[in-house]
Amino acid sequence: MSAVLATAAVLAACTAPVGQEPAAAAPDVGIQLFQLPWTAIAEECETTLGPNGFAWVLTSPPQEHIDREEWWASYQPVSYDLESRLGSREEFAEMVERCDAAGVEIIADAVVNHMTGQDTPGVGFAGTPYEHYEYPGLYTDADFHHCGLTSFDDIEDYTSREQVQTCELVNLADLDTASTTVRETIGAYLDDLLSLGVAGFRIDAAKHMPADDVAAIVGALPEGTRIISEVIRGGGEPVVPEEYTAFGEVFEFTYARDLAPALSNGVFSDPGLEGERPLHVSPDRAVVFVDNHDTERGEADVTYRDGPLYVIANALMLADDYGTPVVYSGYAFTDRDAGAPTTADGVVEATTCAEADGPAGEYEDGERTCVQSWPAITGMLEFRAYAGDAPRMPGVDDGDAYGFEREGRGVVAVNVGDETHVIEIPTSLEDGSYCDVVSGGADPASGDRCAGAEYTVADGVATFELGPAAAAAIHVGARL
Ligand code: LAG
Ligand code: CA
């Protein structure tokens, strides 16, 4: 149902005069709306995500958490009550309903490897009292690992599988997920979220739980529940994402790591086009991203702060034929711990976008990036719908410019340099003039003009004149 609605939305948004239709592949792109309250996500689904063809939202964790200002309070569960700084149970349920009606599914972030990392007793956001290893009505000390392998039971050596999975991640009380009662308690929490209509879960810190434990927990959920395990690939580490693909998808961290260098040095190379990419799970198991809430505070070389380069990175990801992309949308920060702005009663506010049309030149702390609204991104969602499952053809790397065709369906081109560059890309698209969907696509008013740039295909070659740090994309549905 939702896929049908979303396809209709993409069709409605497409104003190309030629009678080409998007390929059969259903819209698959997700959007991580980091620390956005439930009522605001419901709004976004109706006004922006549904109409722009996003298929799913990854929310921040919905359960009760420690009562602290930092965003990462969300990652320290106190109880599985759906009462958090992001909204109430009722608001969560209403969000799922409204998003569903707009053709957008909800994937909830499930923090189930651990509880809090607080050494002193406290009271959670919704009023539940707790201690480091005591959560009334939920878990007692016996439900936790005390690995006894390191001085403070903290993970110190990531080359030790035993430490990674049974010691504590930054002091967070580590659940004994081999225990039947622990598995059942986690299962009841996930079932509760499913009863409100969520489509599935991001499994937070999955690497820190044996794959067999995760398999047992999610295996008890209804068939069709979507599972995306967060298993950060690490060089020389024994626990690898491939262990978690038998029961769902995984976030493929290699993807962003491979994408970034070319954006600064202009040296692009094609991925293995014959299927296999080194250190990548198989394409049908991969969820890919340019950045997420952790990497934008850490390893990511390209984030919202990089403006046009960030658009280019997202355009290349959305044009690719590998994996299922999730676009990231958060808020500006200078302090990595700073939570999203809250009201006087401590709930997160849906602050305004710094700029809805694209990256802002400058950001004030707390302003939202609203990447889901950027015309360049929604244009690439349209490109992706038209590209369908057409294979990616060998690319052209020409100085600071690069581009490739999705066979017979569309061509994408980028220029990461600071001078204008003309790049020619072989294509089997029909000769003619095409509207660039990154800079606006077809002009809805006229139907025979482009709102943004126009590029031509002649004699099997698409020619793009790209300004500094620019991307462009044409597809079969955007031919004049
Ligand atoms: C994740 N995936 O595996 C989340 O994506 C990531 O954002 C979480 O870390 C982590 N695992 C645990 O769920 C975040 C912050 C940490 C924060 C942690 C717990 O990046 O900085 O740790 O959530 O809130 C914080 C302090 C630590 C402290 C710990 C316990 O930074 O110094 O030891 O809390 O109190
Ligand atoms: Ca663990």
Side-chain angles (χ1 to χ4, degrees), residues 71-72 75-76 114 117-118 169-172 202 204-205 230 293-294 336:
W71 62 267
W72 44 252
Y75 289 93
Q76 299 195 36
H114 55 261
Q118 307 300 303
L169 172 64
V170 294
N171 203 40
L172 299 161
R202 167 188 187 263
D204 179 69
E230 190 237 14
H293 70 282
D294 290 322
R336 71 86 71 183

Side-chain angles (χ1 to χ4, degrees), residues 34-376:
F34 178 61
Q35 292 288 311
L36 194 66
W38 314 144
T39 51
I41 292 181
E43 282 288 318
E44 284 295 310
C45 280
E46 291 166 351
T47 61
T48 308
L49 305 178
N52 288 342
F54 283 97
W56 51 284
V57 173
L58 171 58
T59 72
S60 282
Q63 88 297 320
E64 180 181 7
H65 49 73
I66 57 167
D67 197 5
R68 287 185 63 132
E69 310 264 293
E70 297 89 347
W71 62 267
W72 44 252
S74 290
Y75 289 93
Q76 299 195 36
V78 166
S79 79
Y80 296 141
D81 294 347
L82 303 181
E83 303 293 333
S84 74
R85 213 158 46 188
L86 299 171
S88 66
R89 180 180 183 87
E90 289 65 37
E91 288 166 338
F92 188 89
E94 192 194 318
M95 165 190 74
V96 179
E97 252 177 51
R98 287 170 62 187
C99 288
D100 227 44
V104 183
E105 296 187 325
I106 297 293
I107 302 292
D109 198 348
V111 183
V112 297
N113 168 66
H114 55 261
M115 297 297 280
T116 77
Q118 307 300 303
D119 289 318
T120 50
V123 175
F125 180 84
T128 306
Y130 68 91
E131 295 173 28
H132 199 179
Y133 303 106
E134 295 288 340
Y135 299 85
L138 218 49
Y139 301 119
T140 61
D141 188 71
D143 295 319
F144 293 95
H145 286 136
H146 297 282
C147 73
L149 299 168
T150 58
S151 35
F152 295 97
D153 284 348
D154 258 349
I155 301 166
E156 285 171 2
D157 177 8
Y158 272 77
T159 69
S160 159
R161 175 182 293 270
E162 202 185 354
Q163 281 195 31
V164 167
Q165 298 187 327
T166 66
C167 294
E168 294 179 349
L169 172 64
V170 294
N171 203 40
L172 299 161
D174 198 67
L175 285 162
D176 174 11
T177 46
S179 139
T180 310
T181 58
V182 168
R183 288 179 180 178
E184 284 170 358
T185 306
I186 292 170
Y189 167 47
L190 302 182
D191 271 328
D192 184 39
L193 287 165
L194 287 168
S195 79
L196 301 181
V198 305
F201 306 102
R202 167 188 187 263
I203 306 293
D204 179 69
K207 178 161 80 178
H208 301 281
M209 296 178 277
D212 286 349
D213 294 0
V214 181
I217 292 165
V218 306
L221 301 174
E223 188 122 359
T225 303
R226 187 166 179 196
I227 300 298
I228 315 174
S229 297
E230 190 237 14
V231 186
I232 303 175
R233 203 185 272 284
E237 292 185 25
V239 186
V240 292
E242 282 74 8
E243 295 169 29
Y244 297 77
T245 55
F247 48 81
E249 300 153 88
V250 296
F251 290 93
E252 182 48 86
F253 281 70
T254 305
Y255 191 84
R257 292 170 186 162
D258 279 5
L259 192 57
L263 302 170
S264 44
N265 65 23
V267 183
F268 289 88
S269 56
D270 292 339
L273 296 174
E274 298 308 315
E276 298 291 289
R277 299 188 190 199
L279 296 176
H280 285 68
V281 295
S282 66
D284 61 326
R285 291 301 180 199
V287 173
V288 296
F289 51 90
V290 170
D291 60 341
N292 65 29
H293 70 282
D294 290 322
T295 67
E296 76 167 343
R297 289 171 172 74
E299 68 171 80
D301 290 323
V302 178
T303 69
Y304 74 91
R305 287 185 211 92
D306 300 294
L309 281 189
Y310 193 51
V311 173
I312 290 173
N314 276 284
L316 288 171
M317 171 178 75
L318 292 166
D320 205 348
D321 66 350
Y322 174 84
T324 301
V326 57
V327 175
Y328 177 72
S329 183
Y331 56 85
F333 62 92
T334 40
D335 170 6
R336 71 86 71 183
D337 295 326
T342 51
T343 64
D345 24 330
V347 299
V348 173
E349 270 184 286
T351 42
T352 49
C353 304
E355 170 71 64
D357 285 345
E362 264 177 57
Y363 286 90
E364 302 279 341
D365 283 356
E367 282 181 323
R368 303 265 174 192
T369 58
C370 300
V371 179
Q372 67 275 19
S373 300
W374 298 357

Side-chain angles (χ1 to χ4, degrees), residues 340-476:
T342 51
T343 64
D345 24 330
V347 299
V348 173
E349 270 184 286
T351 42
T352 49
C353 304
E355 170 71 64
D357 285 345
E362 264 177 57
Y363 286 90
E364 302 279 341
D365 283 356
E367 282 181 323
R368 303 265 174 192
T369 58
C370 300
V371 179
Q372 67 275 19
S373 300
W374 298 357
I377 301 293
T378 61
M380 286 309 300
L381 258 61
E382 185 187 298
F383 174 97
R384 192 173 177 84
Y386 277 90
D389 54 13
R392 174 173 168 159
M393 303 302 285
V396 174
D397 181 27
D398 177 8
D400 283 330
Y402 175 73
F404 60 87
E405 178 185 24
R406 292 290 300 277
E407 191 173 20
R409 306 295 299 177
V411 183
V412 64
V414 304
N415 172 22
V416 297
D418 42 25
E419 264 153 49
T420 296
H421 197 109
V422 178
I423 181 170
E424 297 187 337
I425 299 164
T427 174
S428 57
L429 286 181
E430 262 182 69
D431 283 5
S433 297
Y434 292 78
C435 296
D436 164 33
V437 293
V438 172
S439 61
D443 179 359
S446 75
D448 60 0
R449 269 184 298 133
C450 299
E454 187 180 317
Y455 294 108
T456 54
V457 172
D459 302 325
V461 175
T463 304
F464 297 90
E465 185 180 304
L466 297 172
I474 59 175
H475 61 70
V476 280

